[in-house]
Amino acid sequence: MLTLIVNPTAGTGYALKVEQRLRSLLESKRIAHRILHTDRPGHATALAREAAQSNDSDAVVAVGGDGTAFEVACGLADTDTALGIIPAGTGNDFIKSVGIPRDPEQALDFILKHKARPVDFGSMNDRAFINVCGTGFDVTVLENMQEAKKKFRGMLPYLIGVVKAIVLYKPVHVRLTIDGNAVNLSPSTPLVKREFL
């Protein structure tokens, strides 16, 4: 059985339209499935964990954007339940890394026809990530766009976040540990010392 976890707010409501198309496809193919909706941040993690623990899901499919995919991945970490992703958010960057089609129906077909494969699951400051982790300017953009997301939809919050970050950004000091080797980076560290990245 497939468990689909849908973030109703993803893609400014686009995920709900995608859900209707997926439901019709799964019913026409007579594929056992259930559809669950998130209702708060972190909810997708709890729903995915419950689905994995129930042992009746062959895969748990995130229907939303990168945030939904991340939360579902966190709920499936250290389990044998596969993660599927149907892109229905604003950015959908992670699918580009793993070769999932952008079209939701093609993404479902991809999930049904391909075996699960491992992906890296990292952590930074005791927080997990599956796509990228960042600090500095890009994080400042994201922090500054949160307030704008309450008032505006689409790409405008990101643009507001970029403009605010240009004005407010302050460089940071970073300490990385990679395979047991610690490296300190400061705003004055020459770029040649960053080649390992």
Side-chain angles (χ1 to χ4, degrees):
M1 169 164 42
L2 289 181
T3 298
L4 282 73
I5 297 178
V6 179
N7 177 354
T9 63
T12 60
Y14 176 62
L16 290 174
K17 295 175 184 173
V18 168
E19 174 195 340
Q20 294 171 353
R21 291 162 50 192
L22 298 176
R23 185 189 308 269
S24 297
L25 274 171
L26 290 168
E27 288 173 357
S28 69
K29 293 176 183 283
R30 297 186 180 181
I31 295 172
H33 64 281
R34 68 175 160 225
I35 298 175
L36 307 172
H37 287 178
T38 63
D39 61 15
R40 64 189 179 279
H43 194 200
T45 298
L47 293 173
R49 188 175 297 119
E50 289 169 13
Q53 290 172 346
S54 70
N55 292 320
D56 63 355
S57 292
D58 300 308
V60 176
V61 180
V63 182
D66 289 324
T68 308
F70 166 71
E71 285 193 14
V72 172
C74 287
L76 299 179
D78 299 319
T79 75
D80 293 327
T81 305
L83 165 68
I85 300 171
I86 306 287
T90 304
N92 303 305
D93 291 325
F94 184 64
I95 63 165
K96 300 166 192 168
S97 305
V98 293
I100 296 171
R102 184 159 179 78
D103 177 78
E105 293 173 11
Q106 291 176 13
L108 177 62
D109 190 55
F110 183 90
I111 291 167
L112 297 175
K113 291 182 177 176
H114 290 81
K115 289 184 179 181
R117 61 187 192 264
V119 295
D120 291 328
F121 195 77
S123 68
M124 180 177 182
N125 295 340
D126 298 321
R127 293 190 61 192
F129 63 91
I130 58 169
N131 191 18
V132 296
C133 68
T135 186
F137 186 81
D138 59 332
V139 174
T140 304
V141 170
L142 294 175
E143 288 172 346
N144 289 320
M145 65 166 260
Q146 292 307 315
E147 191 64 32
K149 280 182 85 173
K150 296 174 186 174
K151 299 176 184 173
F152 306 104
R153 301 205 178 269
M155 294 303 292
L156 186 57
Y158 292 97
L159 295 173
I160 291 170
V162 168
V163 171
K164 282 187 172 182
I166 289 170
V167 174
L168 301 174
Y169 176 69
K170 292 184 176 28
V172 296
H173 176 86
V174 177
R175 178 179 173 86
L176 297 176
T177 303
I178 302 172
D179 296 331
N181 299 314
V183 178
N184 288 299
L185 300 173
S186 69
S188 61
T189 305
L191 288 175
V192 292
K193 291 189 177 179
R194 300 183 187 185
E195 288 177 355
F196 68 92
L197 295 174

PDB file of all heavy atoms in Angstrom, residues 91-120:
ATOM      1  N   GLY A  91       9.422  25.386  -4.851  1.00  0.00           N
ATOM      2  CA  GLY A  91      10.764  25.194  -5.387  1.00  0.00           C
ATOM      3  C   GLY A  91      11.029  23.802  -5.927  1.00  0.00           C
ATOM      4  O   GLY A  91      11.485  23.625  -7.047  1.00  0.00           O
ATOM      5  N   ASN A  92      10.743  22.798  -5.135  1.00  0.00           N
ATOM      6  CA  ASN A  92      10.959  21.392  -5.520  1.00  0.00           C
ATOM      7  C   ASN A  92      12.399  21.130  -5.980  1.00  0.00           C
ATOM      8  O   ASN A  92      12.631  20.493  -7.003  1.00  0.00           O
ATOM      9  CB  ASN A  92       9.972  20.973  -6.621  1.00  0.00           C
ATOM     10  CG  ASN A  92       8.531  21.171  -6.198  1.00  0.00           C
ATOM     11  OD1 ASN A  92       8.097  20.672  -5.182  1.00  0.00           O
ATOM     12  ND2 ASN A  92       7.805  21.938  -6.987  1.00  0.00           N
ATOM     13  N   ASP A  93      13.369  21.584  -5.216  1.00  0.00           N
ATOM     14  CA  ASP A  93      14.767  21.427  -5.603  1.00  0.00           C
ATOM     15  C   ASP A  93      15.270  19.998  -5.454  1.00  0.00           C
ATOM     16  O   ASP A  93      16.080  19.543  -6.261  1.00  0.00           O
ATOM     17  CB  ASP A  93      15.660  22.361  -4.778  1.00  0.00           C
ATOM     18  CG  ASP A  93      15.448  23.821  -5.139  1.00  0.00           C
ATOM     19  OD1 ASP A  93      15.204  24.102  -6.325  1.00  0.00           O
ATOM     20  OD2 ASP A  93      15.521  24.670  -4.246  1.00  0.00           O
ATOM     21  N   PHE A  94      14.828  19.281  -4.427  1.00  0.00           N
ATOM     22  CA  PHE A  94      15.383  17.955  -4.154  1.00  0.00           C
ATOM     23  C   PHE A  94      15.142  16.980  -5.301  1.00  0.00           C
ATOM     24  O   PHE A  94      15.988  16.142  -5.601  1.00  0.00           O
ATOM     25  CB  PHE A  94      14.813  17.392  -2.845  1.00  0.00           C
ATOM     26  CG  PHE A  94      15.412  16.075  -2.465  1.00  0.00           C
ATOM     27  CD1 PHE A  94      16.761  15.978  -2.154  1.00  0.00           C
ATOM     28  CD2 PHE A  94      14.634  14.932  -2.411  1.00  0.00           C
ATOM     29  CE1 PHE A  94      17.327  14.753  -1.809  1.00  0.00           C
ATOM     30  CE2 PHE A  94      15.188  13.713  -2.057  1.00  0.00           C
ATOM     31  CZ  PHE A  94      16.539  13.619  -1.746  1.00  0.00           C
ATOM     32  N   ILE A  95      14.004  17.090  -5.976  1.00  0.00           N
ATOM     33  CA  ILE A  95      13.715  16.148  -7.063  1.00  0.00           C
ATOM     34  C   ILE A  95      14.748  16.229  -8.174  1.00  0.00           C
ATOM     35  O   ILE A  95      15.018  15.238  -8.854  1.00  0.00           O
ATOM     36  CB  ILE A  95      12.294  16.328  -7.638  1.00  0.00           C
ATOM     37  CG1 ILE A  95      12.131  17.717  -8.260  1.00  0.00           C
ATOM     38  CG2 ILE A  95      11.237  16.033  -6.593  1.00  0.00           C
ATOM     39  CD1 ILE A  95      10.917  17.857  -9.149  1.00  0.00           C
ATOM     40  N   LYS A  96      15.347  17.418  -8.357  1.00  0.00           N
ATOM     41  CA  LYS A  96      16.368  17.576  -9.393  1.00  0.00           C
ATOM     42  C   LYS A  96      17.596  16.749  -9.068  1.00  0.00           C
ATOM     43  O   LYS A  96      18.262  16.236  -9.957  1.00  0.00           O
ATOM     44  CB  LYS A  96      16.744  19.057  -9.539  1.00  0.00           C
ATOM     45  CG  LYS A  96      15.567  19.941  -9.920  1.00  0.00           C
ATOM     46  CD  LYS A  96      15.906  21.415  -9.729  1.00  0.00           C
ATOM     47  CE  LYS A  96      14.640  22.263  -9.822  1.00  0.00           C
ATOM     48  NZ  LYS A  96      14.850  23.637  -9.362  1.00  0.00           N
ATOM     49  N   SER A  97      17.900  16.606  -7.780  1.00  0.00           N
ATOM     50  CA  SER A  97      19.073  15.849  -7.348  1.00  0.00           C
ATOM     51  C   SER A  97      18.916  14.349  -7.560  1.00  0.00           C
ATOM     52  O   SER A  97      19.898  13.643  -7.747  1.00  0.00           O
ATOM     53  CB  SER A  97      19.352  16.093  -5.860  1.00  0.00           C
ATOM     54  OG  SER A  97      19.487  17.454  -5.589  1.00  0.00           O
ATOM     55  N   VAL A  98      17.693  13.866  -7.481  1.00  0.00           N
ATOM     56  CA  VAL A  98      17.471  12.416  -7.539  1.00  0.00           C
ATOM     57  C   VAL A  98      16.744  11.958  -8.801  1.00  0.00           C
ATOM     58  O   VAL A  98      16.411  10.785  -8.945  1.00  0.00           O
ATOM     59  CB  VAL A  98      16.720  11.916  -6.274  1.00  0.00           C
ATOM     60  CG1 VAL A  98      17.595  12.052  -5.047  1.00  0.00           C
ATOM     61  CG2 VAL A  98      15.410  12.662  -6.068  1.00  0.00           C
ATOM     62  N   GLY A  99      16.492  12.875  -9.736  1.00  0.00           N
ATOM     63  CA  GLY A  99      15.948  12.496 -11.033  1.00  0.00           C
ATOM     64  C   GLY A  99      14.467  12.196 -11.072  1.00  0.00           C
ATOM     65  O   GLY A  99      14.001  11.463 -11.939  1.00  0.00           O
ATOM     66  N   ILE A 100      13.706  12.781 -10.152  1.00  0.00           N
ATOM     67  CA  ILE A 100      12.252  12.585 -10.154  1.00  0.00           C
ATOM     68  C   ILE A 100      11.637  13.596 -11.117  1.00  0.00           C
ATOM     69  O   ILE A 100      11.968  14.778 -11.076  1.00  0.00           O
ATOM     70  CB  ILE A 100      11.669  12.774  -8.738  1.00  0.00           C
ATOM     71  CG1 ILE A 100      12.223  11.688  -7.805  1.00  0.00           C
ATOM     72  CG2 ILE A 100      10.145  12.756  -8.751  1.00  0.00           C
ATOM     73  CD1 ILE A 100      11.883  11.905  -6.350  1.00  0.00           C
ATOM     74  N   PRO A 101      10.732  13.167 -11.993  1.00  0.00           N
ATOM     75  CA  PRO A 101      10.097  14.106 -12.932  1.00  0.00           C
ATOM     76  C   PRO A 101       9.311  15.192 -12.199  1.00  0.00           C
ATOM     77  O   PRO A 101       8.754  14.960 -11.131  1.00  0.00           O
ATOM     78  CB  PRO A 101       9.151  13.222 -13.744  1.00  0.00           C
ATOM     79  CG  PRO A 101       9.670  11.841 -13.578  1.00  0.00           C
ATOM     80  CD  PRO A 101      10.298  11.785 -12.216  1.00  0.00           C
ATOM     81  N   ARG A 102       9.249  16.379 -12.788  1.00  0.00           N
ATOM     82  CA  ARG A 102       8.527  17.497 -12.175  1.00  0.00           C
ATOM     83  C   ARG A 102       7.015  17.335 -12.286  1.00  0.00           C
ATOM     84  O   ARG A 102       6.272  17.765 -11.411  1.00  0.00           O
ATOM     85  CB  ARG A 102       8.963  18.813 -12.824  1.00  0.00           C
ATOM     86  CG  ARG A 102       8.322  20.016 -12.177  1.00  0.00           C
ATOM     87  CD  ARG A 102       9.100  21.295 -12.437  1.00  0.00           C
ATOM     88  NE  ARG A 102       8.466  22.441 -11.820  1.00  0.00           N
ATOM     89  CZ  ARG A 102       8.541  22.750 -10.539  1.00  0.00           C
ATOM     90  NH1 ARG A 102       9.221  21.992  -9.715  1.00  0.00           N
ATOM     91  NH2 ARG A 102       7.932  23.816 -10.055  1.00  0.00           N
ATOM     92  N   ASP A 103       6.549  16.713 -13.359  1.00  0.00           N
ATOM     93  CA  ASP A 103       5.111  16.499 -13.529  1.00  0.00           C
ATOM     94  C   ASP A 103       4.627  15.475 -12.493  1.00  0.00           C
ATOM     95  O   ASP A 103       5.186  14.376 -12.394  1.00  0.00           O
ATOM     96  CB  ASP A 103       4.819  15.978 -14.937  1.00  0.00           C
ATOM     97  CG  ASP A 103       3.360  15.677 -15.117  1.00  0.00           C
ATOM     98  OD1 ASP A 103       2.569  16.617 -15.307  1.00  0.00           O
ATOM     99  OD2 ASP A 103       2.990  14.474 -15.046  1.00  0.00           O
ATOM    100  N   PRO A 104       3.605  15.804 -11.701  1.00  0.00           N
ATOM    101  CA  PRO A 104       3.156  14.893 -10.636  1.00  0.00           C
ATOM    102  C   PRO A 104       2.752  13.502 -11.120  1.00  0.00           C
ATOM    103  O   PRO A 104       3.066  12.499 -10.464  1.00  0.00           O
ATOM    104  CB  PRO A 104       1.954  15.634 -10.022  1.00  0.00           C
ATOM    105  CG  PRO A 104       2.218  17.070 -10.310  1.00  0.00           C
ATOM    106  CD  PRO A 104       2.894  17.084 -11.651  1.00  0.00           C
ATOM    107  N   GLU A 105       2.069  13.418 -12.257  1.00  0.00           N
ATOM    108  CA  GLU A 105       1.658  12.106 -12.756  1.00  0.00           C
ATOM    109  C   GLU A 105       2.862  11.287 -13.206  1.00  0.00           C
ATOM    110  O   GLU A 105       2.927  10.076 -12.966  1.00  0.00           O
ATOM    111  CB  GLU A 105       0.639  12.274 -13.880  1.00  0.00           C
ATOM    112  CG  GLU A 105      -0.678  12.860 -13.364  1.00  0.00           C
ATOM    113  CD  GLU A 105      -1.653  13.200 -14.473  1.00  0.00           C
ATOM    114  OE1 GLU A 105      -1.421  12.814 -15.634  1.00  0.00           O
ATOM    115  OE2 GLU A 105      -2.657  13.860 -14.163  1.00  0.00           O
ATOM    116  N   GLN A 106       3.828  11.936 -13.842  1.00  0.00           N
ATOM    117  CA  GLN A 106       5.054  11.239 -14.224  1.00  0.00           C
ATOM    118  C   GLN A 106       5.856  10.835 -12.985  1.00  0.00           C
ATOM    119  O   GLN A 106       6.482   9.775 -12.969  1.00  0.00           O
ATOM    120  CB  GLN A 106       5.908  12.115 -15.141  1.00  0.00           C
ATOM    121  CG  GLN A 106       5.298  12.329 -16.502  1.00  0.00           C
ATOM    122  CD  GLN A 106       6.127  13.285 -17.367  1.00  0.00           C
ATOM    123  OE1 GLN A 106       7.265  13.604 -17.050  1.00  0.00           O
ATOM    124  NE2 GLN A 106       5.531  13.735 -18.461  1.00  0.00           N
ATOM    125  N   ALA A 107       5.824  11.677 -11.950  1.00  0.00           N
ATOM    126  CA  ALA A 107       6.518  11.343 -10.705  1.00  0.00           C
ATOM    127  C   ALA A 107       5.890  10.105 -10.058  1.00  0.00           C
ATOM    128  O   ALA A 107       6.606   9.222  -9.567  1.00  0.00           O
ATOM    129  CB  ALA A 107       6.476  12.523  -9.741  1.00  0.00           C
ATOM    130  N   LEU A 108       4.563  10.009 -10.079  1.00  0.00           N
ATOM    131  CA  LEU A 108       3.904   8.820  -9.543  1.00  0.00           C
ATOM    132  C   LEU A 108       4.291   7.585 -10.349  1.00  0.00           C
ATOM    133  O   LEU A 108       4.608   6.532  -9.779  1.00  0.00           O
ATOM    134  CB  LEU A 108       2.386   8.992  -9.548  1.00  0.00           C
ATOM    135  CG  LEU A 108       1.585   7.766  -9.083  1.00  0.00           C
ATOM    136  CD1 LEU A 108       1.919   7.415  -7.637  1.00  0.00           C
ATOM    137  CD2 LEU A 108       0.089   8.011  -9.258  1.00  0.00           C
ATOM    138  N   ASP A 109       4.306   7.704 -11.650  1.00  0.00           N
ATOM    139  CA  ASP A 109       4.718   6.594 -12.517  1.00  0.00           C
ATOM    140  C   ASP A 109       6.155   6.183 -12.200  1.00  0.00           C
ATOM    141  O   ASP A 109       6.471   4.997 -12.135  1.00  0.00           O
ATOM    142  CB  ASP A 109       4.586   7.014 -13.983  1.00  0.00           C
ATOM    143  CG  ASP A 109       4.750   5.843 -14.929  1.00  0.00           C
ATOM    144  OD1 ASP A 109       4.010   4.851 -14.775  1.00  0.00           O
ATOM    145  OD2 ASP A 109       5.630   5.912 -15.819  1.00  0.00           O
ATOM    146  N   PHE A 110       7.026   7.164 -11.973  1.00  0.00           N
ATOM    147  CA  PHE A 110       8.419   6.902 -11.607  1.00  0.00           C
ATOM    148  C   PHE A 110       8.489   6.098 -10.310  1.00  0.00           C
ATOM    149  O   PHE A 110       9.236   5.123 -10.201  1.00  0.00           O
ATOM    150  CB  PHE A 110       9.160   8.236 -11.457  1.00  0.00           C
ATOM    151  CG  PHE A 110      10.621   8.119 -11.149  1.00  0.00           C
ATOM    152  CD1 PHE A 110      11.556   8.050 -12.168  1.00  0.00           C
ATOM    153  CD2 PHE A 110      11.062   8.097  -9.834  1.00  0.00           C
ATOM    154  CE1 PHE A 110      12.911   7.955 -11.885  1.00  0.00           C
ATOM    155  CE2 PHE A 110      12.407   8.007  -9.539  1.00  0.00           C
ATOM    156  CZ  PHE A 110      13.334   7.927 -10.567  1.00  0.00           C
ATOM    157  N   ILE A 111       7.704   6.498  -9.326  1.00  0.00           N
ATOM    158  CA  ILE A 111       7.682   5.796  -8.033  1.00  0.00           C
ATOM    159  C   ILE A 111       7.222   4.350  -8.209  1.00  0.00           C
ATOM    160  O   ILE A 111       7.795   3.423  -7.640  1.00  0.00           O
ATOM    161  CB  ILE A 111       6.762   6.540  -7.037  1.00  0.00           C
ATOM    162  CG1 ILE A 111       7.397   7.875  -6.636  1.00  0.00           C
ATOM    163  CG2 ILE A 111       6.460   5.700  -5.804  1.00  0.00           C
ATOM    164  CD1 ILE A 111       6.456   8.819  -5.922  1.00  0.00           C
ATOM    165  N   LEU A 112       6.188   4.152  -9.023  1.00  0.00           N
ATOM    166  CA  LEU A 112       5.632   2.815  -9.206  1.00  0.00           C
ATOM    167  C   LEU A 112       6.556   1.888  -9.993  1.00  0.00           C
ATOM    168  O   LEU A 112       6.517   0.672  -9.808  1.00  0.00           O
ATOM    169  CB  LEU A 112       4.272   2.912  -9.898  1.00  0.00           C
ATOM    170  CG  LEU A 112       3.178   3.656  -9.116  1.00  0.00           C
ATOM    171  CD1 LEU A 112       1.926   3.795  -9.971  1.00  0.00           C
ATOM    172  CD2 LEU A 112       2.874   2.941  -7.800  1.00  0.00           C
ATOM    173  N   LYS A 113       7.410   2.456 -10.849  1.00  0.00           N
ATOM    174  CA  LYS A 113       8.240   1.623 -11.731  1.00  0.00           C
ATOM    175  C   LYS A 113       9.688   1.446 -11.280  1.00  0.00           C
ATOM    176  O   LYS A 113      10.409   0.631 -11.838  1.00  0.00           O
ATOM    177  CB  LYS A 113       8.237   2.206 -13.147  1.00  0.00           C
ATOM    178  CG  LYS A 113       6.906   2.068 -13.837  1.00  0.00           C
ATOM    179  CD  LYS A 113       6.960   2.610 -15.253  1.00  0.00           C
ATOM    180  CE  LYS A 113       5.626   2.406 -15.963  1.00  0.00           C
ATOM    181  NZ  LYS A 113       5.607   3.010 -17.299  1.00  0.00           N
ATOM    182  N   HIS A 114      10.131   2.213 -10.288  1.00  0.00           N
ATOM    183  CA  HIS A 114      11.528   2.149  -9.875  1.00  0.00           C
ATOM    184  C   HIS A 114      11.662   1.608  -8.448  1.00  0.00           C
ATOM    185  O   HIS A 114      10.829   1.895  -7.596  1.00  0.00           O
ATOM    186  CB  HIS A 114      12.182   3.528  -9.946  1.00  0.00           C
ATOM    187  CG  HIS A 114      12.390   4.014 -11.337  1.00  0.00           C
ATOM    188  ND1 HIS A 114      11.382   4.593 -12.079  1.00  0.00           N
ATOM    189  CD2 HIS A 114      13.481   3.998 -12.130  1.00  0.00           C
ATOM    190  CE1 HIS A 114      11.847   4.917 -13.267  1.00  0.00           C
ATOM    191  NE2 HIS A 114      13.117   4.566 -13.331  1.00  0.00           N
ATOM    192  N   LYS A 115      12.734   0.876  -8.230  1.00  0.00           N
ATOM    193  CA  LYS A 115      13.047   0.404  -6.878  1.00  0.00           C
ATOM    194  C   LYS A 115      13.621   1.555  -6.068  1.00  0.00           C
ATOM    195  O   LYS A 115      14.262   2.451  -6.610  1.00  0.00           O
ATOM    196  CB  LYS A 115      14.070  -0.727  -6.936  1.00  0.00           C
ATOM    197  CG  LYS A 115      13.521  -2.016  -7.498  1.00  0.00           C
ATOM    198  CD  LYS A 115      14.563  -3.103  -7.419  1.00  0.00           C
ATOM    199  CE  LYS A 115      13.981  -4.407  -7.968  1.00  0.00           C
ATOM    200  NZ  LYS A 115      14.944  -5.503  -7.888  1.00  0.00           N
ATOM    201  N   ALA A 116      13.409   1.492  -4.767  1.00  0.00           N
ATOM    202  CA  ALA A 116      13.969   2.512  -3.883  1.00  0.00           C
ATOM    203  C   ALA A 116      15.494   2.420  -3.904  1.00  0.00           C
ATOM    204  O   ALA A 116      16.054   1.342  -4.070  1.00  0.00           O
ATOM    205  CB  ALA A 116      13.449   2.304  -2.466  1.00  0.00           C
ATOM    206  N   ARG A 117      16.139   3.567  -3.769  1.00  0.00           N
ATOM    207  CA  ARG A 117      17.600   3.596  -3.699  1.00  0.00           C
ATOM    208  C   ARG A 117      18.003   4.516  -2.551  1.00  0.00           C
ATOM    209  O   ARG A 117      17.259   5.444  -2.195  1.00  0.00           O
ATOM    210  CB  ARG A 117      18.199   4.063  -5.017  1.00  0.00           C
ATOM    211  CG  ARG A 117      17.792   5.446  -5.439  1.00  0.00           C
ATOM    212  CD  ARG A 117      18.296   5.759  -6.847  1.00  0.00           C
ATOM    213  NE  ARG A 117      18.165   7.155  -7.164  1.00  0.00           N
ATOM    214  CZ  ARG A 117      17.148   7.675  -7.828  1.00  0.00           C
ATOM    215  NH1 ARG A 117      16.156   6.901  -8.242  1.00  0.00           N
ATOM    216  NH2 ARG A 117      17.108   8.960  -8.095  1.00  0.00           N
ATOM    217  N   PRO A 118      19.176   4.289  -1.975  1.00  0.00           N
ATOM    218  CA  PRO A 118      19.570   5.114  -0.822  1.00  0.00           C
ATOM    219  C   PRO A 118      19.936   6.537  -1.227  1.00  0.00           C
ATOM    220  O   PRO A 118      20.401   6.773  -2.338  1.00  0.00           O
ATOM    221  CB  PRO A 118      20.793   4.372  -0.262  1.00  0.00           C
ATOM    222  CG  PRO A 118      21.317   3.562  -1.399  1.00  0.00           C
ATOM    223  CD  PRO A 118      20.142   3.240  -2.276  1.00  0.00           C
ATOM    224  N   VAL A 119      19.689   7.464  -0.334  1.00  0.00           N
ATOM    225  CA  VAL A 119      20.128   8.849  -0.499  1.00  0.00           C
ATOM    226  C   VAL A 119      20.828   9.262   0.796  1.00  0.00           C
ATOM    227  O   VAL A 119      20.584   8.693   1.855  1.00  0.00           O
ATOM    228  CB  VAL A 119      18.964   9.830  -0.804  1.00  0.00           C
ATOM    229  CG1 VAL A 119      18.318   9.521  -2.134  1.00  0.00           C
ATOM    230  CG2 VAL A 119      17.940   9.830   0.308  1.00  0.00           C
ATOM    231  N   ASP A 120      21.696  10.260   0.685  1.00  0.00           N
ATOM    232  CA  ASP A 120      22.397  10.757   1.870  1.00  0.00           C
ATOM    233  C   ASP A 120      21.431  11.494   2.788  1.00  0.00           C
ATOM    234  O   ASP A 120      20.500  12.161   2.338  1.00  0.00           O
ATOM    235  CB  ASP A 120      23.528  11.709   1.466  1.00  0.00           C
ATOM    236  CG  ASP A 120      24.654  10.985   0.763  1.00  0.00           C
ATOM    237  OD1 ASP A 120      24.900   9.811   1.098  1.00  0.00           O
ATOM    238  OD2 ASP A 120      25.294  11.582  -0.115  1.00  0.00           O
TER     239      ASP A 120
END
